[in-house]
Amino acid sequence: MQDADGKVLRFGMVGGGVGSFIGHVHRKGAEFDDQAKLVAGCFSSNFERTLNTGAQLGLDRSRLYRDHLEMAEKEAAREDGIDYVIICTPNYAHYAAAKAFLQQGINVVCDKPLTVTVEEAEELARLADEKGLLFGVTYAYSQCPAVKHAQQMVRNGDLGDIQVVVAEYPMGSLAAPVELEGKMPWRMDPQYTGISNCVGDIGTHVEHTVSYITGLEISELCARLDNFGGKNRALDTNAHILLKYKFGAVGNYWCSQVAIGYDNPLRVRVFGSKAAIEWCQEIPNYLIVRKLGEPPQLLARGHSYLYPEAGQMTRLAAGHSEGYYEMFANFYAKFNSALLKRKQGLPLTEEDLDFPDVKAGLRGVKFVSRCVESSKQGSVWLKFD
Ligand SMILES: NC(=O)c1ccc[n+]([C@@H]2O[C@H](COP(=O)([O-])OP(=O)(O)OC[C@H]3O[C@@H](n4cnc5c(N)ncnc54)[C@H](O)[C@@H]3O)[C@@H](O)[C@H]2O)c1
């Protein structure tokens, strides 16, 4: 089953060159548990840069490609071709790359937002389904043991009926017009980013983390997007979103990139009829639980009092911090294990497929589209589906 290196799956990357923000996080995550190995790539639209990245990562020159089309075709034709591709280019390029690999019968992991239009995301979901291929989307925050425990609490009825959700993702990264200094170059450009910057970039994380924990489905939303932080910015940097979910619960989300002094504290609070939970990405190893009539509890990752599903997602003893890399590793552990099982011809269970997938990616793109549309129309309530 294992190759000469003792690794099992082979993957390639489109985007994620040396110096990119998220590329190395994917590489570390995918290889964390020694189930997969990077063997190919088109790491940049500039071939020289792809060659440099490939050399730094010790890849064979023959498996470095000028573009995603050449890579998809040539890797599909090889006997030792990649089992899956990881796509972590700027948003606009996700769709074409994902489509090319699916068409060649290669499984896909793509970063969020999945695509820049709903139609593109729908097409990818359809193609993956038709071809019977695995398609993961790296909403990594949901892959944290404390978040898994929160999800299990909801599923087991520990919170009672969910009534209210409050979630926020404040960052200060675009509080000043840094794009004028050549920083974060593509993020404020609709050609590369799509119709939304703030909701697309971090609002999608809020949407997915809430959905993952609660299982709630949005029925309607009302959004106000603003382009604060610089003159003539074409895209949003702040969003307030009100939500109604199916079966009566309500919520509000705030995401901002002009929240001076904030780094990455994605925070989700869920209030049920019996108890409430609170989780924050900057202190990911802990979950606050508030039960009616009782003092608050602070649950810590790594203890046997957590649900076993959360225990399975942890590697270190309690008290040694796990964080961002481990969240990606948890995503890839599930994706790699599912793919290995499929390669052995075994059927996949719901548990095997418990990673954010193309349907979650499509829902995120829909969320972005509805928020932008609601805001454009003067912050009106819009049906989600
Ligand atoms: N899941 C998360 O938590 C998370 C975090 C950060 C970024 N992201 C997403 O990851 C993606 C990349 O973000 P980033 O911050 O790493 O961007 P980045 O600008 O730092 O890196 C982009 C990389 O893609 C390469 N690239 C650009 N166009 C390409 C093309 N046509 N073909 C091949 N390579 C190309 C660039 O050379 C660079 O290496 C975005 O979609 C972003 O939303 C997700």
Side-chain angles (χ1 to χ4, degrees), residues 14-23 42-45 49 88-94 111-113 138-141 186-187 201 205 324 328:
V14 175
V18 167
S20 66
F21 172 66
I22 205 68
C42 163
F43 300 101
S44 167
S45 48
R49 290 205 192 122
C88 45
T89 61
N91 308 345
Y92 83 99
H94 294 176
D111 221 317
K112 42 54 57 180
T138 35
Y139 285 119
Y141 299 130
W186 56 269
R187 289 188 184 269
D201 190 25
H205 278 304
Y324 199 54
F328 274 78

Side-chain angles (χ1 to χ4, degrees), residues 122-187:
E122 283 172 342
E123 191 184 341
L124 294 182
R126 205 170 40 244
L127 249 182
D129 190 43
E130 274 168 26
K131 299 264 182 187
L133 294 166
L134 294 188
F135 197 132
V137 176
T138 35
Y139 285 119
Y141 299 130
S142 62
Q143 302 304 298
C144 175
V147 171
K148 189 66 179 172
H149 183 75
Q151 183 200 55
Q152 292 304 305
M153 287 187 74
V154 171
R155 287 186 178 175
N156 290 315
D158 299 350
L159 270 59
D161 294 327
I162 296 174
Q163 296 168 341
V164 177
V165 177
V166 179
E168 62 179 41
Y169 200 152
M171 302 176 90
S173 52
L174 290 168
V178 293
E179 66 274 22
L180 301 180
E181 299 160 26
K183 293 181 189 153
M184 306 178 82
W186 56 269
R187 289 188 184 269

Side-chain angles (χ1 to χ4, degrees), residues 25-45:
V25 183
H26 279 276
R27 278 192 284 283
K28 299 274 186 294
E31 296 185 341
F32 209 92
D33 293 313
D34 298 321
Q35 292 174 299
K37 179 186 174 184
L38 174 69
V39 296
C42 163
F43 300 101
S44 167
S45 48

Side-chain angles (χ1 to χ4, degrees), residues 314-325:
T314 194
R315 294 171 181 76
L316 295 171
H320 292 299
S321 302
E322 289 183 350
Y324 199 54
Y325 281 115

Side-chain angles (χ1 to χ4, degrees), residues 31 36 42 47 83 100 103 156 204 246 289-290 335:
E31 296 185 341
C42 163
F47 192 49
D83 296 293
Q103 284 175 329
N156 290 315
T204 47
K246 290 179 187 165
V289 178
R290 296 181 169 89
F335 186 85

